[in-house]
Amino acid sequence: MVVLWIILFWTLSLGVLSDGLSANASSRPAVVNVGAIFTLDSTIGRVAKVAIDEAVKDINANSSVLTGTKINVKFRDSNCSGFLGLVEALRFMETDILAVIGPQSSVVAHTVLHVGNELKTPFVSFSATDPTLTTLQFPYFIRATQSDSHQMTAVAEIVDHYGWKEVIVIFLDDDYGRNGLSALDDALSARRCRVTYKAGIPPGDVSRSDIMDILVKVALAESRIIVLHTNPSSGFTVFSVAHYLGMMDEGYAWIATDWLSSSLDSASPLRSEGLTETLQGVLVLRQYTPDSERKRAFSARWNKVTGGSLGLSTYGLYAYDTVWLVAHAIDSFFNQGGVISFSNDSNLHTIQGSKLQLDKMVIFDGGPLLLKNMLESDFVGLTGRIKFTDDKSLIFPAYEIINVVGTGLHRVGYWSNYSGLSTVAPETLYSRPPNRSSSTQLLNSVLWPGESVKLPRGWVFPNNGKLLRIGVPRRVGFKEFVSQVPGTNNSKGFCIDVFTAAVNLLAYAVPYQFVPYGNGLENPSYNELVRLITTGYFDGVVGDIAITTNRTKTVDFTQPYASSGLVVVASVTKRNTGAWAFLRPFSRQMWGVSAAFFIFIGIVVWILEHRTNDEFRGPPKQQLITILWFSLSTLFFAHRETTVSTLGRAVLIIWLFVVLIINSSYTASLTSILTVQQLYSPIKGIESLKDGDDPIGYQVGSYAQHYLTEGIGIPMSRLVALGSPEEFATALQRGPKKEGGVAAIVDERPYIELFLASQCKFRIIGQEFTKSGWGFAFPRDSPLAIDLSTAILTLSESGDLQRIHDKWLTTSACGTDNTELESDQLHLKSFWGLYLLCGIACFLALLIYFIQIIQRYRQAARDDIISSGGPASSSRSKRIQTLLSLIDEKEDQSRRDRKRRKLENSVSESNGGIDLERDPQRKLSSGRSFNSRS
C-alpha cells in the first residue's frame, strides 16, 4: 500500500514539474514583436531605419540576450503627422506589440503617448526632444536621448560666455519649436539675457518668399545674435535666404540647434559640401557621444552597409542603442517570470454601428514590469552609458559645439551639465569635482560669418530710421552742467559735451535726438525722468543723473564720468584771536579736569612725602601752600621741593610725562590759533544738523531730499527747497532765524563746488558723507551702456574728460584765501588715557603707603599692650588719634640711620670685608654713594 502511494506521488510530481517547464518555455516565445513609429522618408528616419535594422541583426545573433527568442521590429510611417501617428499607434495596439520605438517627432508624441498611457505600452523615443514630454503627464514614455532643456541651457551659456545680452530666435511654430523656445527663454533669463524678437515659421511646406518676409523683419531688429531652432527643410531655406540678404556677413552670429548637425552628418559628402557654402561661421550643437572602439567599428560597418550614400548621425547611434535598451528590458522581463498576455480595456467599447472596432485594442498586462526594467537598465552602448535618473532622463547630458568652416566642421568645445563649457571632453571631467568658475569656462577660437575672427558685438541700431529719444533735464540753476539752447531742442553743458565726446568714440553711428524734460520754471524730478526709461518714453537719459541704489534697480548706468556725494555747506565767519585766545586750545572740560588733576597730584605727593620729607612738613597753612605751589610748579617743571620716597618719585615721574604731553599739545594748538586765520561755524557737520532743529536747504530734483528724510530721518518740515545758486546764497545769508533762511544746505559736491567758486562767505563743513557719481542712464541690459562706459574710460585716460571739465566748470575764485575752518578744540577724549595712567599710579602709591601705615599702627598697638602688661582698652577716638599721629609724625631719624648702617655693612661685605670705620675715606665715599642712590 505504501509503495502504491509513493508511485502515485511520484507521478503527480512529474506532471506538475512538466507543466512548470512547459509554462516557462511558453513564457519565452520564439519571436517578440516591437513596433516602431517614425517618418521613414526624413533626415532622421532614413538613418534610424538602417540603425534599427542593424541593431536587430546584432541582438538576434547574440546568444547572451533574449536566449532562444528573436526580436522583430515592425515599422509604421507617421509622415510627421500627429493624426497618422495616432492611427498607426492604434493599429499596433491590436497586435501583440510589447513596446513601441518612437515616435520620432515631438508633435506626434504629444498625440500618440496618450495611447501608451491608456493601454500600458511603453514608448521609447530616440529623437523626441521636447522638454514638455514629462514623465508625470506621460508615465509610459521614455526619452532615450537628450532633452532640449539641456540643449537650450548650452545655447544660453554660449550666449553668456561671449557677453551677449539679447538674441533673436527663429523657431518652428509647433510643439517642438515653441517648447524649445520656452526652455531657451528660461535659460537666458537665469543669466540676465533675453530674447528680444521671436520669429515663428509655420510647420509644413513654407515658400521662400515667406522666409524672406520673416528675415527682413529680423534684419530690422537690434540684435545680431540669431538662434535657429527648426526642422531641416525650413532651416536650410532660412540660411539660403539669409545669405541672399547679406545676413551671413560680418557682425552676425548664428547658432543652430542639433537639427543642423544631424542633417550634415547624415548627408552624403558631395551634398554636404554644397550645404556648407551658405553656412560659413555658424555655430552648431551636436549631441555628444564618447569615442570608443565599438563606435568606430560600427561607423566602419555603416559605411559598408550604406555604401557611403548615407552618413551616420548621433540620432542613428541613439536609435541603435534604443533597440538594445528594449531587448535588455524584455530579457529581464522574461527572467523575472513575466508572461506575455493581453486583456481588454473596459473603457473601450465598440460604438453601435461603428467600424472602428475599439474593442480589439488590448492592454499589455506586463507593461508596468517592462517599463520598470527599462528604467533600471544600466549598460554601455554606442552613445555611452545608458542609465536613467530619477526623472527618467539619461545621465551625463553633453553636447559638442561645432563651427562650420570651409567644407568641414571644426569642434570649438563641449558643454556638459556637469561642468559647463570646456575644451576638454566631458568624460575626463566627471572624475573631478564640478567647477563652473569663469576661469574654467573656455572655448576654442571661432570663425564667425563673413570669415571674421573678431567677436561680433551682438547688436546694432535698428535700420528703421528711428532716432533714440535721449531725455535731458531742463535745469533752472547750475546751467553749466546742462541747459537747453534757447529756441531749439538742443542742449549744451558739461554733461552734454561728455556724452557727445563718448558717442564719437564708438565704432558705430548712434542716431539720437535730445528731448528736453521739465517745465523750465523749476528743476524736474530726476527720479521721474529715470522712470520714463522703463516706460519706453525715453531710450536714455543724459545729464547730471546721480547713480543711486533705487535707480539702479530699474535702469542701467554707464561708468561714472563725474564723482559726486552729499556735503554740507554753511556760513562761516573769520574769528579773531582776541585777549582770551590763550584759553581756546582746550575745551572747558579739558581745563577743568587738568586743574583738578594738578591739585590731586599735589595732595598725593604731600601724603607720600609728609612723614619723610622736611619740605612737606610744617604748620597747616604752610603745608597747604606747599601743596598748591608744588602742583602748579610742575606745569613748568620748576618745583623746588625734592621727593625722597620711592612712591612719591614714581608718581611724580608719571605726572611729569603727562604734563609734557599736555604742554606740547597746548603749544601746538595755540600756535595755530595765533598764526593762521581761523574760520568759525556753529555747524560741525551732518550730525550736528541731524541733532538740531534748524531748517536745512536742498536743491529741487536732487536725491538729497530722499537721503535726508529716508536715510537719516530728518522731518520734511525742516527742509527748504531751493532751485538756484542765488537762492542758495540768499537762504544762507538770512540764517535759520529768519523766514526762508537755512542753517546749512545739503547738496551734491559738484553743485557746491560751482556755487563756492563765487561765494567766499560759505564753506563746506565736515567730510563728504555719501559716495556716488554721475552717469548716463539706459534701459536694463542695454549694450549702449556698456560701450559708452568704455568710451568714458577712454576720455578719462586721455585727459579729454578733464579738459571738458575745465571748459565749463571754473576754478574757485576763493582759492587764494588761505583761511581754514576752525578745527576742533583739544578735548578730554584725546588725553583720558594719560590721566587714567596717572590716576592708577596715584592709587597704587597711596594703597602701598596706607598699608605701611596700618602695619606701623598695629606694631604700635602691640608695643602698647606689652608695655602696659595687659589688654588694651583704649577708646575708638583714641585709636583714631593714634593713627593720625602716625600719619603726621616724622619718621625717626635714628631708625633711618640703623637702616643705612645695615645697608653699609652689606656693601662692605660685598667689597671684600673692608672696614668702613677704619677707613674714613672709603666710608665717606661710600656714604656719598649711598646718599646719591637714596
Side-chain angles (χ1 to χ4, degrees):
M1 189 66 179
V2 175
V3 174
L4 292 175
W5 279 108
I6 293 174
I7 294 173
L8 179 61
F9 177 76
W10 180 255
T11 304
L12 292 174
S13 299
L14 288 176
V16 173
L17 182 59
S18 63
D19 290 342
L21 290 173
S22 63
N24 185 46
S26 65
S27 65
R28 278 187 177 268
V31 177
V32 290
N33 294 315
V34 175
I37 301 177
F38 53 88
T39 304
L40 297 176
D41 188 20
S42 65
T43 301
I44 296 177
R46 287 188 292 270
V47 174
K49 177 65 169 60
V50 178
I52 292 174
D53 288 338
E54 293 304 309
V56 170
K57 293 178 184 178
D58 293 343
I59 293 170
N60 291 335
N62 193 320
S63 60
S64 64
V65 180
L66 290 176
T67 305
T69 302
K70 302 297 183 181
I71 187 171
N72 179 41
V73 178
K74 298 181 179 180
F75 294 95
R76 295 285 189 269
D77 191 355
S78 65
N79 200 23
C80 289
S81 169
F83 175 73
L84 293 179
L86 178 60
V87 171
E88 298 300 339
L90 293 176
R91 290 179 60 192
F92 276 140
M93 297 304 105
E94 296 178 349
T95 62
D96 56 348
I97 295 297
L98 304 187
V100 178
I101 298 175
Q104 169 189 326
S105 168
S106 299
V107 177
V108 178
H110 277 279
T111 304
V112 170
L113 293 182
H114 293 285
V115 176
N117 290 349
E118 183 67 25
L119 302 179
K120 298 181 181 179
T121 302
F123 280 72
V124 188
S125 177
F126 57 85
S127 57
T129 58
D130 182 356
T132 64
L133 295 172
T134 62
T135 57
L136 295 178
Q137 183 182 7
F138 304 110
Y140 280 85
F141 171 70
I142 298 177
R143 181 187 285 112
T145 187
Q146 304 297 344
S147 169
D148 274 343
S149 62
H150 299 302
Q151 180 172 209
M152 295 310 174
T153 301
V155 173
E157 292 199 15
I158 292 172
V159 171
D160 185 54
H161 174 75
Y162 289 118
W164 300 321
K165 293 299 181 183
E166 299 178 350
V167 301
I168 295 173
V169 179
I170 303 176
F171 64 101
L172 195 64
D173 196 6
D174 57 10
D175 290 331
Y176 161 76
R178 287 191 300 270
N179 296 327
L181 168 63
S182 178
L184 176 60
D185 210 352
D186 293 341
L188 288 172
S189 298
R191 292 156 182 80
R192 291 197 64 183
C193 305
R194 62 192 181 105
V195 178
T196 57
Y197 186 75
K198 304 171 185 178
I201 299 176
D205 295 333
V206 183
S207 65
R208 186 180 178 88
S209 61
D210 292 336
I211 297 295
M212 185 169 292
D213 292 340
I214 293 173
L215 291 185
V216 166
K217 295 178 182 178
V218 170
L220 294 177
E222 183 176 294
S223 176
R224 286 295 180 263
I225 311 302
I226 304 173
V227 177
L228 188 57
H229 185 55
T230 64
N231 55 23
S233 60
S234 300
F236 286 117
T237 305
V238 169
F239 281 122
S240 176
V241 175
H243 186 269
Y244 172 77
L245 294 176
M247 297 175 66
M248 301 299 296
D249 295 337
E250 184 177 357
Y252 282 88
W254 288 80
I255 303 175
T257 53
D258 60 359
W259 67 266
L260 179 56
S261 60
S262 63
S263 299
L264 295 178
D265 290 338
S266 59
S268 63
L270 294 177
R271 185 178 175 222
S272 179
E273 291 181 9
L275 291 175
T276 56
E277 292 180 0
T278 59
L279 303 177
Q280 295 301 302
V282 175
L283 286 181
V284 189
L285 272 73
R286 174 199 286 160
Q287 295 188 45
Y288 175 71
T289 56
D291 191 22
S292 65
E293 185 63 33
R294 288 185 59 196
K295 179 180 173 182
R296 289 193 294 270
F298 185 79
S299 179
R301 174 182 163 191
W302 180 277
N303 292 332
K304 294 180 181 179
V305 172
T306 61
S309 61
L310 185 65
L312 176 61
S313 67
T314 54
Y315 284 109
L317 299 175
Y318 277 108
Y320 181 89
D321 284 348
T322 300
V323 182
W324 276 91
L325 171 66
V326 174
H328 280 296
I330 294 176
D331 188 49
S332 299
F333 173 81
F334 288 145
N335 291 337
Q336 295 170 7
V339 178
I340 299 176
S341 62
F342 301 90
S343 59
N344 293 326
D345 188 352
S346 59
N347 295 324
L348 299 176
H349 301 282
T350 303
I351 301 175
Q352 188 68 27
S354 174
K355 297 182 180 180
L356 293 177
Q357 298 179 347
L358 298 177
D359 55 346
K360 289 187 177 182
M361 288 185 291
V362 292
I363 297 174
F364 176 35
D365 296 329
L369 179 59
L370 181 60
L371 175 68
K372 176 176 176 294
N373 290 332
M374 288 182 180
L375 295 175
E376 292 177 352
S377 297
D378 188 359
F379 66 95
V380 178
L382 297 181
T383 59
R385 188 179 178 186
I386 305 298
K387 185 179 180 180
F388 294 94
T389 61
D390 293 338
D391 62 350
K392 300 182 182 180
S393 299
L394 287 176
I395 61 173
F396 299 140
Y399 286 84
E400 290 181 87
I401 303 170
I402 309 298
N403 186 205
V404 181
V405 179
T407 59
L409 302 178
H410 168 66
R411 182 187 294 117
V412 175
Y414 305 89
W415 176 91
S416 68
N417 196 41
Y418 186 76
S419 295
L421 302 174
S422 69
T423 55
V424 181
E427 63 267 19
T428 63
L429 300 175
Y430 295 148
S431 59
R432 309 174 189 173
N435 187 358
R436 285 181 172 266
S437 62
S438 58
S439 60
T440 63
Q441 302 300 294
L442 302 174
L443 292 176
N444 291 322
S445 59
V446 176
L447 184 67
W448 302 101
E451 298 183 355
S452 172
V453 296
K454 181 181 178 182
L455 177 68
R457 186 173 63 248
W459 70 282
V460 296
F461 284 101
N463 187 21
N464 53 13
K466 178 184 176 182
L467 299 177
L468 293 179
R469 289 174 54 85
I470 304 298
V472 178
R474 296 180 64 184
R475 294 194 55 86
V476 176
F478 298 105
K479 294 185 177 182
E480 292 85 350
F481 293 105
V482 58
S483 64
Q484 184 180 0
V485 178
T488 68
N489 284 333
N490 294 328
S491 299
K492 62 179 181 179
F494 167 69
C495 303
I496 302 300
D497 280 5
V498 173
F499 176 75
T500 304
V503 169
N504 291 336
L505 291 178
L506 299 180
Y508 50 88
V510 179
Y512 65 89
Q513 60 177 346
F514 290 128
V515 180
Y517 177 78
N519 56 19
L521 301 178
E522 62 178 4
N523 294 334
S525 171
Y526 281 29
N527 288 332
E528 180 64 20
L529 180 60
V530 171
R531 190 192 67 82
L532 290 177
I533 297 178
T534 63
T535 65
Y537 184 78
F538 287 133
D539 298 311
V541 170
V542 171
D544 47 340
I545 312 298
I547 304 174
T548 63
T549 303
N550 289 335
R551 293 171 184 172
T552 56
K553 293 178 180 178
T554 57
V555 299
D556 280 350
F557 283 90
T558 63
Q559 170 79 16
Y561 63 88
S563 61
S564 180
L566 295 179
V567 294
V568 177
V569 62
S571 300
V572 293
T573 57
K574 292 184 178 180
R575 191 167 185 176
N576 297 322
T577 55
W580 302 98
F582 66 92
L583 295 176
R584 281 163 48 191
F586 287 162
S587 64
R588 293 181 180 180
Q589 186 183 28
M590 182 66 183
W591 279 117
V593 172
S594 299
F597 251 87
F598 273 101
I599 297 175
F600 174 69
I601 293 299
I603 295 173
V604 170
V605 173
W606 177 83
I607 292 174
L608 298 176
E609 296 289 325
H610 177 68
R611 298 184 66 253
T612 59
N613 195 336
D614 292 336
E615 295 181 353
F616 288 88
R617 299 187 64 83
K621 180 178 180 180
Q622 180 181 349
Q623 295 184 45
L624 179 62
I625 294 174
T626 300
I627 291 173
L628 295 176
W629 169 254
F630 177 83
S631 61
L632 294 177
S633 61
T634 56
L635 177 63
F636 309 101
F637 304 96
H639 50 285
R640 294 176 300 175
E641 296 80 8
T642 60
T643 55
V644 296
S645 67
T646 303
L647 296 176
R649 289 175 178 177
V651 170
L652 185 61
I653 288 175
I654 295 176
W655 171 245
L656 290 178
F657 174 74
V658 174
V659 170
L660 176 64
I661 300 300
I662 294 175
N663 276 338
S664 301
S665 303
Y666 176 85
T667 302
S669 180
L670 183 61
T671 302
S672 175
I673 291 173
L674 297 178
T675 58
V676 179
Q677 178 63 58
Q678 302 289 317
L679 298 177
Y680 171 77
S681 173
I683 305 299
K684 301 303 179 184
I686 188 64
E687 291 299 327
S688 63
L689 285 178
K690 177 182 177 181
D691 297 336
D693 56 1
D694 292 332
I696 304 171
Y698 71 94
Q699 184 182 183
V700 177
S702 172
Y703 77 98
Q705 176 189 356
H706 180 270
Y707 178 84
L708 293 174
T709 56
E710 303 295 334
I712 60 177
I714 295 178
M716 190 64 192
S717 58
R718 289 182 56 193
L719 302 184
V720 179
L722 305 172
S724 65
E726 293 75 17
E727 293 182 14
F728 279 20
T730 302
L732 288 173
Q733 289 172 356
R734 289 178 179 177
K737 304 302 181 182
K738 296 182 180 180
E739 183 178 0
V742 296
I745 293 175
V746 176
D747 203 358
E748 298 175 62
R749 178 176 286 276
Y751 302 121
I752 296 303
E753 289 179 346
L754 187 61
F755 169 69
L756 295 179
S758 58
Q759 298 290 338
C760 300
K761 298 179 180 179
F762 314 109
R763 284 290 188 276
I764 294 176
I765 309 298
Q767 299 296 320
E768 187 175 6
F769 51 90
T770 64
K771 292 291 184 181
S772 62
W774 288 355
F776 306 132
F778 293 93
R780 295 299 296 268
D781 301 322
S782 171
L784 192 58
I786 300 175
D787 291 351
L788 281 178
S789 295
T790 304
I792 290 172
L793 290 175
T794 303
L795 289 175
S796 178
E797 294 170 356
S798 64
D800 291 338
L801 188 61
Q802 183 62 42
R803 284 187 282 271
I804 297 174
H805 178 277
D806 296 340
K807 171 186 175 182
W808 288 98
L809 308 178
T810 58
T811 57
S812 176
C814 304
T816 56
D817 189 354
N818 60 358
T819 57
E820 296 181 0
L821 190 65
E822 182 185 18
S823 59
D824 290 338
Q825 292 177 313
L826 299 176
H827 293 275
L828 180 63
K829 63 182 180 181
S830 302
F831 300 93
W832 71 268
L834 292 172
Y835 285 123
L836 177 63
L837 179 65
C838 187
I840 292 175
C842 293
F843 172 77
L844 293 177
L846 290 175
L847 179 63
I848 295 172
Y849 173 79
F850 281 112
I851 290 175
Q852 294 174 349
I853 292 296
I854 295 299
Q855 289 177 346
R856 293 286 307 277
Y857 171 76
R858 290 179 177 177
Q859 181 63 37
R862 285 195 298 269
D863 294 344
D864 184 52
I865 293 173
I866 294 173
S867 62
S868 62
S873 59
S874 59
S875 63
R876 177 181 297 179
S877 60
K878 186 175 181 180
R879 290 197 298 269
I880 295 175
Q881 184 178 3
T882 302
L883 178 62
L884 293 177
S885 65
L886 285 174
I887 295 174
D888 183 64
E889 74 176 356
K890 191 175 186 301
E891 186 176 354
D892 188 5
Q893 184 66 32
S894 62
R895 184 177 180 183
R896 295 178 59 191
D897 292 341
R898 285 195 298 271
K899 290 183 178 179
R900 187 184 65 179
R901 284 196 296 271
K902 185 177 181 180
L903 179 61
E904 289 174 350
N905 292 334
S906 62
V907 171
S908 65
E909 291 176 358
S910 63
N911 289 331
I914 299 175
D915 189 354
L916 298 179
E917 295 293 337
R918 297 180 181 180
D919 193 345
Q921 187 66 28
R922 180 67 57 86
K923 179 178 180 181
L924 178 60
S925 61
S926 176
R928 289 175 181 175
S929 176
F930 175 78
N931 289 334
S932 63
R933 287 194 297 269
S934 63

